């Protein structure tokens, strides 16, 4: 698990049609750097911040399809 307030770079995503549709709706791309702001205890989703300051919530299931490296 990535700690809160940690910056990571998206390096790869799983090739799953439904996930790719979801990933596209988040306006994220491979090589984007995001900051993990917090883990939601209720549903295990992640609140992240993009480099432009936009905050997003990524669903718990989708997290398993996104591969990152520490920045």
């Amino acid at each position: 698990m990535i700690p809160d307030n940690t910056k990571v770079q998206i390096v790869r995503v799983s090739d799953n049609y439904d996930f790719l549709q979801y990933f596209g709706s988040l306006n994220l791309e491979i090589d984007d750097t995001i900051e993990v702001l917090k883990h939601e205890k209720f549903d295990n989703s992640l609140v992240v911040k993009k480099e432009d300051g936009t905050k997003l919530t990524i669903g718990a299931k989708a997290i398993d399809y996104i591969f990152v490296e520490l920045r």
Side-chain angles (χ1 to χ4, degrees):
M1 182 169 83
I2 297 166
D4 292 351
N5 303 307
T6 301
K7 287 190 179 186
V8 296
Q9 182 177 18
I10 299 170
V11 295
R12 185 170 61 91
V13 296
S14 292
D15 186 17
N16 173 287
Y17 179 78
D18 291 331
F19 167 73
L20 292 173
Q21 295 294 319
Y22 175 75
F23 187 73
S25 75
L26 296 173
N27 293 315
L28 290 172
E29 296 183 15
I30 292 174
D31 293 330
D32 281 357
T33 297
I34 56 175
E35 181 177 357
V36 175
L37 298 177
K38 68 177 182 173
H39 295 74
E40 294 289 358
K41 292 181 183 179
F42 174 69
D43 63 359
N44 294 320
S45 61
L46 282 182
V47 178
V48 302
K49 182 170 66 172
K50 294 173 47 172
E51 287 185 308
D52 67 4
T54 305
K55 291 182 182 177
L56 304 168
T57 300
I58 301 175
K61 185 174 180 180
I63 293 166
D64 292 336
Y65 292 83
I66 301 172
F67 300 89
V68 299
E69 291 179 354
L70 294 175
R71 290 296 300 158

